Amino acid sequence: AVADEGINGNSSSLSGRPKVVNIGVIGRSVKPAIIAAVDDVNNDASVLGDTHLNLILHDTNCSGFIGTMGALELMEKDVVAAIGPQSSTIAHVISHVVNELHVPLLSFGATDPTLAALQYPYFLRTTQNDYYQMAAVADVIDYFEWKEVIAIFVDDDYGRNGVSSLGDLLAIKRAKIAYKAAFTPGSSADDISVLLTEVNLMESRVYVVHVNPDTGLQIFAVAKKLGMMTSGYVWITTEWLPAVLDSSASPDSTAMGHLQGVLSLRQHTPESSLKKSFATKWKNIKPKETSSFNSYALYAYDSVWLLARALDTFLKAGESITFASDPNLQNTSGSELRLSALKTFSEGPRLLETILATNFTGVTGEIRFDQDKNLVHPAYDVLNIVGTGFRTIGYWSNRSGLSTDPPEKVYAKPLNSSANTKHLYGVIWPGETNVKPRGWVFPNNGKPLRIAVPYRHSYKEVVTKDARSPQGVRGYSIDVFEAAVSLLPYPVPRKYILYGDGVRNPSYSNLVAAVADNTYDAAVGDITIITNRTRIVDFTQPYMESGLVIVVPVKKSKTSPLAFLKPFTIEMWLVTGGFFLLVGFVVWILEHRLNHEFRGPPSQQVITIFWFSFSTMFFSHRENTVSTLGRFVLLLWLFVVLIINSSYTASLTSILTVQQLSSRIEGLDGMISSNDPIGIQDGSFARNYLVQELNIAESRIKPLKDTTDYINALRLGPNRGGVAAIVDELPYVEIFMTYTKCEFRIVGQEFTKSGWGFAFQRDSPLALDLSTAILQLSENAELQRIHDKWLTSSSCSSVTETETNSLSLSSFWGLFLICGIVCCISLGIYCCRLLCQYRRFNPELEQQSRDIPEPEPDSARRSSRRTSRSTSFKDLIEFYDKKEAEIKEMLRRHKRQVNGHNEHNDHNASPD
């Protein structure tokens, strides 16, 4: 029962559980779906019981003003909630009304992201937020690696706010909207033609169309007429296009012909028994109403069920439905609008909370709100229009991004972002090609690429002005750039613009900044790739390796007539000479008794010792060694001599040819610790590097304009107004060295690693294509050929020995020690053998060997031996001077005689 009760004369209520609850419907786009949902609710006793929903319909005619008036009329009829509208623009206006009267507004089609703001607490979006749709569009653009797009949109709240969200999301992926092409709602075909003609003159060929369904197809009809649906173009639409096509059971063939190759998004609704049941019911609706349904119809159907379930919970909780007069609307000053008839829904806040807490599964899937009042699990189908229908090439979800797996399958899995890889099936693009469009062309408005070229004062081999060539510039960098451009699969109209006055080198940092500020489109030259520059522009692959090095002056050492003595110190010479004599004497001792070449008169033997000793220095000794110990000593000594000779030769060569530094700077550490002035190339980044990275005082740095300044500054030195060293990039230094014929040298190593590249504005597609071309030049040796044509590498040594010291005994004492020990051991062994022989030798043996010996008693023989042992040192020397062969022969003969005598005595002593 519906009853009106006065509460202070200004309120009414529905006492107990009402039989009928009024709900308003704003809009008529999905009226059949809403009517079907209300019928199903009213026929289901498990929901609302005996309470029925009463629909109060109002058509907005796509007008914000009429929609507002209709909303006011609905509010007069004590509706507890309103469903709709589909238009975001009308939703903005009506939201102010429902906020004032506390009536929840459930919109199945208003997707504007800004409607989710706290400004509209009673607005509930029962469809997906356009923020997620734009995130899907941004992922598609990023997947195909496009960096610039043109947004074509209707200039209202829906269009502007959606495109604004797209711009923010593209910026995260380092892409951007190059141009926003807006048109007013209801624009004519001529207006659209003018707009598309304008965007067709621009560089980007990727168009994102975000418009209302009533004007969208007209855009593609005009684009087809202008030849913009051919190969090379990319068209991406939001969900408005599937909504239009899904609403017709058999789309118009002409319209479909205009849409071939278009990519589009559609809100994903999983296949389920509920969805199939809804499709069956839809077929029973009169054909005159509509012939098919789209995703908005599904969300409208679920919106009614959401409200019904929330009302059921609300009423079961004992809540009543009451309306009270709004004091803000009482004083109308005699207005005939009768605003005082509008009443506030007293239980509106509690019903709003109940709706937000409701959770069920409908024809569109799970219906549940998150803390931002958005439906959970946003997902979209990615569609490709081919022939007379759609191809689903993938899906997008808030969890996985782009994927070929359905969103319900993705959401059912545990979150594992590392395993998620973006993937889509193949696309048939406009022009019936499956080759991904490049996404951009050079503009057709007659503007060539503006390329800045540094007008150098020095090192003109790299790049400089050339008044005789059509290009106006020449040099190594220009040839590399032209060769790379020639490898691109498309023409690049370009115009070279000199940067600088040629009187001094321009600032390369300012040149790069000019590219970033859109003063130029690119910069071609010897531009070093450093960190600060990469933050504002994009560089190609380096075409020349580079790095900072230190250049210092050098001078040749003055030689003297006694330079041949400098390789060794005095101590080294003395010890070496002493060992020559020592080894010669040791070998003479070991060979004297065995080798006839080491015998003779004393004077001859002394000469032999000296000759043999020093002839081993040149391995030219003619005396042969026959003893084992002599050969062993000689072999070791020749090894020592070989090392000494090699060291002497190397040291002498170094002394006679070395160049010594005239600067105290010998490397990076020496340059940092020194206080001497340092020269740099004018306009180089080296100044900032030395000051900011190496903390070198700026007062020490002296800019130099050209190679003449380099030479003069280095020759003068720090004490006469010059510099102690120059810091410059290696390619420049190599050219400089060829000018000066190695008068200057590089010290230390490169202390930075970088390269030269071409600079382009951020996200320019040319940077990537030219990088690939430069790699091709490197692989086919064309890059080296261009280098050899313009630049000549220096043949000067990169490292200079700053001081050559004489070799001292400390470097060789180990060898001499080993040689001395071997000589001592050999002498020891030899002396032991000699004494053993001498003990067995009797000086009288020589006489006995001549005469027949008389038998002697044993006592006589022992007396004779004692006499021989007590012989003088002279006898030992005489024994040593004898040939060893003679001594051995005498000992053998004496032994035979003694043995014969003993046999004779034994014979005489035997009995007869």
Side-chain angles (χ1 to χ4, degrees):
V2 178
D4 292 333
E5 294 184 3
I7 302 177
N8 297 326
N10 294 317
S11 66
S12 64
S13 68
L14 299 176
S15 60
R17 188 178 181 97
K19 292 294 184 180
V20 177
V21 176
N22 293 334
I23 61 173
V25 176
I26 303 172
R28 60 181 174 86
S29 60
V30 290
K31 175 182 174 182
I34 295 177
I35 293 175
V38 171
D39 290 342
D40 290 344
V41 169
N42 289 337
N43 293 328
D44 190 345
S46 64
V47 180
L48 288 177
D50 294 334
T51 302
H52 286 70
L53 298 179
N54 179 41
L55 282 181
I56 301 175
L57 301 173
H58 180 78
D59 187 5
T60 63
N61 290 323
C62 298
S63 169
F65 175 76
I66 295 176
T68 304
M69 295 298 101
L72 294 176
E73 291 179 7
L74 286 176
M75 297 305 113
E76 289 181 352
K77 298 176 182 179
D78 293 342
V79 295
V80 297
I83 297 177
Q86 184 172 337
S87 168
S88 295
T89 301
I90 298 174
H92 271 279
V93 178
I94 297 176
S95 293
H96 292 284
V97 177
V98 298
N99 283 353
E100 181 66 26
L101 301 178
H102 299 173
V103 176
L105 177 64
L106 285 67
S107 177
F108 54 85
T111 56
D112 180 2
T114 62
L115 284 169
L118 296 177
Q119 182 183 5
Y120 308 111
Y122 283 86
F123 175 84
L124 290 178
R125 194 193 327 267
T126 56
T127 186
Q128 300 297 345
N129 190 330
D130 261 353
Y131 176 85
Y132 297 114
Q133 180 174 211
M134 294 306 170
V137 173
D139 274 356
V140 170
I141 293 170
D142 181 61
Y143 175 79
F144 290 108
E145 299 178 342
W146 297 313
K147 295 301 182 182
E148 291 187 359
V149 303
I150 292 177
I152 301 173
F153 62 98
V154 60
D155 193 10
D156 59 11
D157 293 333
Y158 161 75
R160 286 191 302 269
N161 296 330
V163 169
S164 177
S165 295
L166 176 62
D168 295 340
L169 292 162
L170 286 176
I172 297 174
K173 301 180 181 298
R174 288 195 62 182
K176 66 179 180 179
I177 298 177
Y179 182 72
K180 294 181 179 180
F183 62 90
T184 59
S187 294
S188 65
D190 291 339
D191 294 335
I192 294 175
S193 179
V194 171
L195 181 69
L196 293 184
T197 301
E198 181 182 358
V199 300
N200 196 33
L201 296 175
M202 298 178 182
E203 180 177 308
S204 178
R205 283 291 184 264
V206 182
Y207 305 115
V208 178
V209 183
H210 184 56
V211 297
N212 293 321
D214 53 350
T215 57
L217 292 180
Q218 192 175 20
I219 292 175
F220 286 97
V222 174
K224 181 74 173 180
K225 184 178 179 180
L226 294 175
M228 298 175 66
M229 298 302 298
T230 57
S231 177
Y233 288 87
V234 178
W235 293 87
I236 303 173
T237 76
T238 50
E239 60 187 354
W240 66 265
L241 180 58
V244 172
L245 299 180
D246 287 341
S247 299
S248 175
S250 56
D252 181 61
S253 60
T254 302
M256 294 302 294
H258 298 161
L259 299 172
Q260 296 300 300
V262 173
L263 291 183
S264 188
L265 297 178
R266 178 174 59 193
Q267 296 184 68
H268 176 75
T269 55
E271 297 297 328
S272 64
S273 58
L274 291 174
K275 186 176 179 180
K276 292 178 181 178
S277 176
F278 176 82
T280 303
K281 293 176 183 178
W282 190 268
K283 293 179 181 179
N284 297 326
I285 299 176
K286 294 180 180 181
K288 66 179 181 179
E289 297 287 349
T290 184
S291 57
S292 185
F293 64 90
N294 53 35
S295 60
Y296 293 118
L298 296 175
Y299 281 105
Y301 184 86
D302 277 349
S303 298
V304 175
W305 274 97
L306 171 64
L307 178 58
R309 292 178 182 276
L311 281 171
D312 186 47
T313 304
F314 176 79
L315 295 174
K316 285 180 179 179
E319 299 287 350
S320 60
I321 299 176
T322 61
F323 296 86
S325 299
D326 189 343
N328 296 325
L329 301 176
Q330 293 303 307
N331 185 12
T332 58
S333 301
S335 172
E336 295 183 1
L337 294 177
R338 298 181 64 246
L339 295 179
S340 59
L342 300 177
K343 296 179 181 180
T344 302
F345 181 24
S346 302
E347 288 76 19
R350 287 191 292 275
L351 179 58
L352 177 64
E353 294 176 1
T354 305
I355 295 173
L356 291 173
T358 301
N359 179 10
F360 74 101
T361 300
V363 294
T364 58
E366 183 181 6
I367 303 297
R368 178 163 56 91
F369 293 97
D370 60 17
Q371 60 183 2
D372 296 323
K373 298 194 301 183
N374 291 317
L375 289 179
V376 298
H377 301 167
Y380 290 86
D381 301 332
V382 184
L383 307 174
N384 182 204
I385 299 179
V386 180
T388 59
F390 298 107
R391 288 176 58 243
T392 301
I393 61 173
Y395 306 91
W396 181 92
S397 66
N398 196 33
R399 169 171 287 198
S400 65
L402 296 175
S403 174
T404 54
D405 292 332
E408 52 270 19
K409 182 178 179 181
V410 172
Y411 281 115
K413 296 179 180 178
L415 181 61
N416 184 9
S417 59
S418 62
N420 293 333
T421 54
K422 294 183 178 181
H423 183 65
L424 293 174
Y425 292 118
V427 179
I428 304 300
W429 303 99
E432 298 183 359
T433 177
N434 56 3
V435 178
K436 186 196 78 170
R438 190 169 66 245
W440 64 275
V441 295
F442 283 98
N444 294 327
N445 53 10
K447 293 182 180 179
L449 206 65
R450 300 165 300 171
I451 301 178
V453 177
Y455 189 5
R456 295 189 56 88
H457 177 72
S458 60
Y459 300 115
K460 296 184 177 181
E461 301 92 335
V462 179
V463 61
T464 191
K465 177 181 178 180
D466 185 8
R468 293 176 296 179
S469 71
Q471 298 173 342
V473 290
R474 63 179 174 85
Y476 168 66
S477 298
I478 300 300
D479 280 7
V480 172
F481 181 75
E482 289 290 331
V485 169
S486 67
L487 296 178
L488 298 180
Y490 49 86
V492 180
R494 54 198 178 274
K495 177 183 179 182
Y496 293 106
I497 304 172
L498 291 173
Y499 183 83
D501 54 11
V503 178
R504 56 183 298 178
N505 295 334
S507 170
Y508 280 65
S509 295
N510 293 341
L511 171 59
V512 172
V515 174
D517 294 341
N518 198 30
T519 305
Y520 305 103
D521 297 311
V524 171
D526 47 335
I527 306 171
T528 306
I529 304 172
I530 58 177
T531 304
N532 290 339
R533 295 173 183 173
T534 58
R535 294 192 179 105
I536 58 176
V537 297
D538 284 346
F539 281 95
T540 61
Q541 173 81 13
Y543 64 89
M544 164 74 87
E545 293 184 356
S546 179
L548 293 178
V549 293
I550 303 172
V551 181
V552 297
V554 294
K555 61 180 181 180
K556 290 187 177 181
S557 300
K558 296 181 179 180
T559 59
S560 66
L562 300 179
F564 67 91
L565 296 176
K566 288 184 178 180
F568 291 158
T569 61
I570 296 177
E571 294 81 0
M572 182 66 183
W573 280 117
L574 294 176
V575 172
T576 302
F579 262 84
F580 271 108
L581 295 176
L582 174 63
V583 171
F585 181 70
V586 170
V587 171
W588 177 82
I589 292 176
L590 299 177
E591 295 289 322
H592 177 71
R593 299 181 65 206
L594 299 174
N595 194 338
H596 70 278
E597 293 181 346
F598 288 86
R599 300 183 65 83
S603 59
Q604 181 180 349
Q605 294 187 47
V606 171
I607 294 174
T608 299
I609 291 173
F610 277 92
W611 165 254
F612 179 81
S613 298
F614 290 101
S615 62
T616 57
M617 179 185 300
F618 310 103
F619 306 99
S620 60
H621 51 285
R622 63 189 180 187
E623 294 81 7
N624 295 321
T625 53
V626 296
S627 68
T628 301
L629 293 175
R631 289 176 176 177
F632 179 66
V633 171
L634 182 60
L635 179 65
L636 179 63
W637 175 244
L638 291 178
F639 174 72
V640 174
V641 170
L642 175 65
I643 295 177
I644 293 176
N645 278 346
S646 301
S647 301
Y648 176 85
T649 303
S651 181
L652 181 60
T653 302
S654 177
I655 290 173
L656 295 177
T657 61
V658 71
Q659 289 180 320
Q660 294 183 347
L661 302 179
S662 60
S663 171
R664 292 187 292 270
I665 297 177
E666 301 176 3
L668 180 60
D669 293 337
M671 182 183 70
I672 295 175
S673 60
S674 171
N675 291 320
D676 294 334
I678 301 169
I680 63 167
Q681 184 182 164
D682 191 18
S684 171
F685 76 98
R687 172 189 290 273
N688 291 337
Y689 182 84
L690 295 178
V691 174
Q692 298 174 6
E693 301 297 332
L694 301 183
N695 296 320
I696 293 177
E698 193 166 1
S699 58
R700 293 178 55 194
I701 299 175
K702 184 176 181 180
L704 303 174
K705 292 176 59 177
D706 50 27
T707 55
T708 302
D709 287 353
Y710 276 31
I711 295 172
N712 294 335
L714 288 172
R715 285 176 177 173
L716 289 174
N719 297 328
R720 293 187 296 168
V723 296
I726 288 176
V727 175
D728 206 349
E729 295 181 71
L730 183 59
Y732 300 125
V733 171
E734 289 181 340
I735 299 174
F736 172 67
M737 302 285 262
T738 60
Y739 293 159
T740 59
K741 299 180 181 180
C742 302
E743 182 181 351
F744 311 99
R745 293 288 179 90
I746 298 172
V747 293
Q749 303 295 325
E750 289 182 73
F751 52 91
T752 64
K753 289 291 184 181
S754 57
W756 292 351
F758 306 130
F760 289 85
Q761 294 180 10
R762 293 297 296 269
D763 303 318
S764 171
L766 260 179
L768 180 61
D769 291 350
L770 280 175
S771 294
T772 304
I774 290 172
L775 289 176
Q776 293 178 8
L777 292 176
S778 177
E779 291 171 357
N780 61 22
E782 181 66 14
L783 198 61
Q784 185 62 42
R785 187 195 67 78
I786 298 174
H787 177 278
D788 295 341
K789 171 186 174 182
W790 289 98
L791 309 178
T792 303
S793 298
S794 170
S795 60
C796 302
S797 173
S798 298
V799 180
T800 303
E801 294 189 27
T802 58
E803 183 179 358
T804 302
N805 296 321
S806 300
L807 298 175
S808 64
L809 183 61
S810 60
S811 302
F812 300 94
W813 68 268
L815 283 174
F816 289 130
L817 178 63
I818 294 173
C819 184
I821 292 174
V822 169
C823 290
C824 293
I825 293 174
S826 299
L827 284 176
I829 295 173
Y830 180 80
C831 291
C832 290
R833 291 175 54 193
L834 180 65
L835 290 176
C836 289
Q837 286 183 350
Y838 182 68
R839 290 184 63 186
R840 293 162 52 197
F841 175 75
N842 187 344
E844 297 177 359
L845 287 177
E846 185 177 3
Q847 182 65 32
Q848 290 175 359
S849 65
R850 298 189 186 99
D851 303 330
I852 298 174
E854 295 293 335
E856 294 183 2
D858 293 340
S859 59
R861 288 197 301 270
R862 287 192 294 270
S863 174
S864 175
R865 288 178 182 177
R866 284 192 298 267
T867 304
S868 65
R869 290 190 187 100
S870 61
T871 55
S872 65
F873 179 73
K874 180 180 178 181
D875 295 334
L876 180 61
I877 296 301
E878 289 177 353
F879 174 76
Y880 168 75
D881 192 48
K882 294 182 181 296
K883 290 185 178 181
E884 186 167 350
E886 295 178 1
I887 299 297
K888 289 182 178 180
E889 181 61 29
M890 285 188 291
L891 291 175
R892 284 195 297 269
R893 188 180 302 165
H894 175 68
K895 184 176 181 181
R896 287 195 300 268
Q897 290 176 355
V898 171
N899 290 338
H901 177 70
N902 290 338
E903 291 176 359
H904 176 74
N905 290 339
D906 292 341
H907 177 75
N908 292 334
S910 63
D912 293 335

